[in-house]
Amino acid sequence: MSASTTWDATQTQEDFMRNDRVILVDAQDVVIGDASKKDAHKFLDGGATPTGTLHRAFSVFIFDADDRLLLQQRAASKITFPSVWTNTCCSHQLTGQEPGEIDSPSAIASGSCRGAKSAAVRKLKHELGIDESDVPIDSIKFLTRLHYCAKDEFAEHENQPVGGTWGEHEMDYILFVKVPRVGETLPMDVNADEIDATKWVSASELKSMMDPTSGLRWSPWFRIIAERFLYEWWGDLDAALTTDKYVDVGTIHKVMSTAQDELVVFSTQSIALSVTMQTIAVHGV
């Protein structure tokens, strides 16, 4: 079994922020340390971390037998990015877990990324009540990595950091998986502390939901993935899941400013304005 035996899933949101230790990396995804989830997500205006601290994360996309994608709406009680719609599950690899969640350069080079996948198994159980028996770790496919930075412009949670707000600055591992059943029959036990709603959608339904006239809020990482990658992979889902056609272990996709070589800090409402996608070839991984 790959579910974590060391992580306490009964903590409060505030406890998770204090106690979870995220994996700090540099722009080439080399591990350089760790930090509390709270400290890594502080965007302090004029301080030492105006764009937070770069750390590893993962985004899981679960598809059903009808090729529909499972979405979630983050709970209104979440400290960061409350109430936004997003992909199936998105969270962080942590230090100190068993099985380990820190992928080595060789694990990334091979595309195995079992650390990220172990973290995904842990959080699928925690957030959605999905057992590993229904989404085995070996059925999860790593595709690529995204480096982005996003400030929580709504900043609606009462516990904002002094002198700034919360945000994400992530090296995001994109993970796809398909379950051989109709989505509504997948056993789930949704954690109300994490999720307000779930929905299985087709590609056309998602496009309608993401139309600006819908009034729905979306996580910045999901908007970037949807606008840049998702529909191509989704339209060729069998190949994405069963071959290495879309696997890219040697590139980190970065969202960069057109004006200067700096990360753009996006709001949750506007993602694609005045940006270009740049790719950084990573050698030696």
Side-chain angles (χ1 to χ4, degrees):
M1 294 295 289
S2 297
S4 174
T5 59
T6 56
W7 187 68
D8 180 5
T10 67
Q11 300 177 88
T12 66
Q13 294 293 325
E14 289 76 12
D15 288 337
F16 288 134
M17 291 292 280
R18 285 192 300 268
N19 297 330
D20 283 359
R21 304 292 297 183
V22 298
I23 302 163
L24 304 184
V25 294
D26 64 16
Q28 286 72 48
D29 197 21
V30 175
V31 177
I32 58 174
D34 63 88
S36 71
K37 186 177 174 182
K38 180 177 181 179
D39 287 343
H41 290 80
K42 288 180 178 178
F43 280 46
L44 301 180
D45 299 330
T49 57
T51 57
T53 308
L54 179 59
H55 56 276
R56 283 184 180 171
F58 65 86
S59 289
V60 182
F61 293 71
I62 293 184
F63 299 88
D64 75 351
D66 294 327
D67 291 352
R68 293 180 302 163
L69 171 63
L70 179 59
L71 302 177
Q72 67 155 278
Q73 183 184 29
R74 289 165 64 89
S77 59
K78 292 284 285 184
I79 293 175
T80 60
F81 298 97
S83 301
V84 300
W85 283 89
T86 192
N87 51 286
T88 311
C89 181
C90 29
S91 190
H92 306 91
Q93 302 92 312
L94 302 177
T95 63
Q97 302 304 301
E98 181 58 44
E101 297 180 1
I102 303 177
D103 284 306
S104 66
S106 61
I108 298 168
S110 70
S112 61
C113 298
R114 204 168 182 86
K117 295 175 183 179
S118 293
V121 167
R122 171 173 59 81
K123 287 296 289 183
L124 284 171
K125 179 65 174 178
H126 174 235
E127 294 189 4
L128 291 152
I130 297 176
D131 288 328
E132 187 184 359
S133 59
D134 290 309
V135 181
I137 190 170
D138 290 331
S139 70
I140 301 173
K141 182 82 170 183
F142 167 80
L143 293 181
T144 192
R145 291 169 289 174
L146 171 70
H147 178 180
Y148 77 96
C149 191
K151 180 183 290 186
D152 187 351
E153 290 292 329
F154 295 110
E156 292 173 334
H157 197 280
E158 61 183 9
N159 294 327
Q160 294 297 310
V162 175
T165 188
W166 302 113
E168 287 286 9
H169 190 175
E170 294 188 331
M171 186 70 66
D172 195 10
Y173 285 50
I174 313 303
L175 307 173
F176 268 32
V177 63
K178 184 173 181 177
V179 293
R181 62 201 305 165
V182 175
E184 288 79 5
T185 68
L186 177 65
M188 295 196 300
D189 182 14
V190 175
N191 183 345
D193 289 335
E194 297 286 332
I195 296 172
D196 278 346
T198 61
K199 185 177 179 66
W200 291 94
V201 297
S202 66
S204 61
E205 288 171 332
L206 178 61
K207 288 177 181 178
S208 295
M209 289 179 68
M210 296 189 76
D211 188 288
T213 61
S214 72
L216 299 176
R217 297 178 181 179
W218 295 89
S219 74
W221 58 91
F222 181 72
R223 288 189 63 94
I224 294 169
I225 295 167
E227 292 171 2
R228 307 280 181 169
F229 304 108
L230 178 58
Y231 294 107
E232 180 182 3
W233 297 336
W234 199 347
D236 198 13
L237 189 56
D238 286 344
L241 289 164
T242 63
T243 75
D244 288 341
K245 180 177 180 179
Y246 298 103
V247 174
D248 188 351
V249 300
T251 302
I252 295 171
H253 301 275
K254 293 178 116 176
V255 179
M256 306 293 285
S257 168
T258 56
Q260 54 187 331
D261 191 26
E262 294 180 356
L263 280 167
V264 178
V265 181
F266 294 112
S267 75
T268 55
Q269 293 176 307
S270 177
I271 293 297
L273 298 178
S274 301
V275 300
T276 59
M277 176 65 75
Q278 298 185 2
T279 56
I280 307 297
V282 181
H283 301 289
V285 300

